[in-house]
Amino acid sequence: MDSIAQLIAAFDGTYAGQSMTDLFSLYSQIEEQTASFCKQFNIACAQGCGTCCEHFMPDITTSEARLVAAYLLFVKKDSQLLEQVRQNVDNHEGPCPLYRFDSPYHCQVYPARPLICRLFGACANQDKNGKAVFRRCRYNTEHTMPLSLTFDEDVPVMQDYSYALRSLDDHEGEVGYLSEMVDSLLDQLRFLANMLGLDDSNPDDTPNPMAS
Ligand code: SF4
Ligand code: SF4
């Protein structure tokens, strides 16, 4: 498998497949909205920047962890990366174990990356007075985005996106740090893949030439 579409198709008819489909569809909708928001307000990250990933460990839901775990197991198939995730289960501060320092592409699960990674530095927030505001990411020293914006019009805010995400996971409920959450789902996915007869469920040792 080499894409999320193939991954989702491989798990078709299972709970995991449905969860991946729903999540990816939500990600796609959100991506469209944030792209249009960023274009309208001249918001862009600096070329090749990924500094935020060096300084935090994303907090993610169970369905997000499932998609990342499945992507690692069946698309990346990189045992070193899986081991890196395992070794970081107690790391709550970052850097994210899926971050590559030596590649301009940085994120090794880019198509499957969690919501917070899609929104960081790219969407408005609701402030304590209920007003939508945007603040430049503090690592953006090249100033490729405005310092601060306050909106009178209705723009999507991070809290709305988080709510939509959490509502997908209502019955699963759990939220936690990426490494721990992803690691906890690997065995379950391997078992399911085995039941489905997926023949590429065992990661090999082939190094990744480039991040996704
Ligand atoms: S959000 Fe900030 S640190 Fe992260 S990639 Fe964009 S500019 Fe860089
Ligand atoms: S999952 Fe990817 S984008 Fe998110 S923090 Fe890790 S390396 Fe960065």
Side-chain angles (χ1 to χ4, degrees):
M1 286 176 230
D2 54 22
S3 68
I4 296 264
Q6 285 178 10
L7 182 63
I8 288 173
F11 285 91
D12 189 33
T14 67
Y15 176 79
Q18 192 55 52
S19 152
M20 290 185 232
T21 305
D22 294 345
L23 179 63
F24 200 63
S25 149
L26 180 67
Y27 281 167
S28 305
Q29 286 169 32
I30 290 176
E31 200 126 292
E32 233 173 77
Q33 290 174 10
T34 51
S36 139
F37 171 78
C38 288
K39 189 168 172 213
Q40 186 179 356
F41 297 103
N42 295 316
I43 296 166
C45 289
Q47 189 76 29
C49 181
T51 312
C52 43
C53 313
E54 297 175 27
H55 296 281
F56 92 124
M57 182 68 74
D59 227 1
I60 66 176
T61 65
T62 303
S63 65
E64 290 191 291
R66 182 177 294 111
L67 185 64
V68 172
Y71 191 83
L72 284 170
L73 280 172
F74 308 109
V75 179
K76 295 300 284 186
K77 293 188 277 177
D78 180 340
S79 57
Q80 281 176 6
L81 198 49
L82 289 169
E83 178 56 21
Q84 219 160 289
V85 169
R86 198 187 65 76
Q87 285 178 5
N88 277 275
V89 290
D90 296 322
N91 174 3
H92 298 166
E93 310 285 328
C96 173
L98 303 175
Y99 181 76
R100 269 188 74 158
F101 286 82
D102 61 348
S103 160
Y105 297 96
H106 299 308
C107 180
Q108 302 193 71
V109 296
Y110 191 79
R113 71 199 186 288
L115 182 66
I116 186 65
C117 309
R118 294 167 193 262
L119 297 181
F120 194 78
C123 85
N125 268 288
Q126 197 168 41
D127 72 7
K128 58 180 187 320
N129 302 314
K131 195 108 181 141
V133 295
F134 173 84
R135 303 274 179 260
R136 181 195 290 153
C137 150
R138 68 189 152 130
Y139 305 116
N140 188 235
T141 50
E142 293 176 38
H143 300 176
T144 59
M145 49 182 82
L147 175 61
S148 152
L149 297 168
T150 303
F151 301 95
D152 290 320
E153 68 266 56
D154 203 12
V155 295
V157 293
M158 188 178 284
Q159 287 85 346
D160 293 338
Y161 292 135
S162 298
Y163 182 75
L165 174 67
R166 299 291 163 93
S167 64
L168 282 187
D169 276 55
D170 262 356
H171 47 296
E172 299 198 271
E174 214 179 322
V175 175
Y177 291 107
L178 180 142
S179 295
E180 197 176 352
M181 293 288 281
V182 170
D183 189 64
S184 72
L185 287 166
L186 293 173
D187 283 347
Q188 196 187 96
L189 281 166
R190 283 190 185 103
F191 179 77
L192 181 57
N194 214 7
M195 300 283 286
L196 293 171
L198 302 180
D199 57 6
D200 52 356
S201 55
N202 293 316
D204 62 25
D205 289 323
T206 311
N208 289 299
M210 285 292 257
S212 295

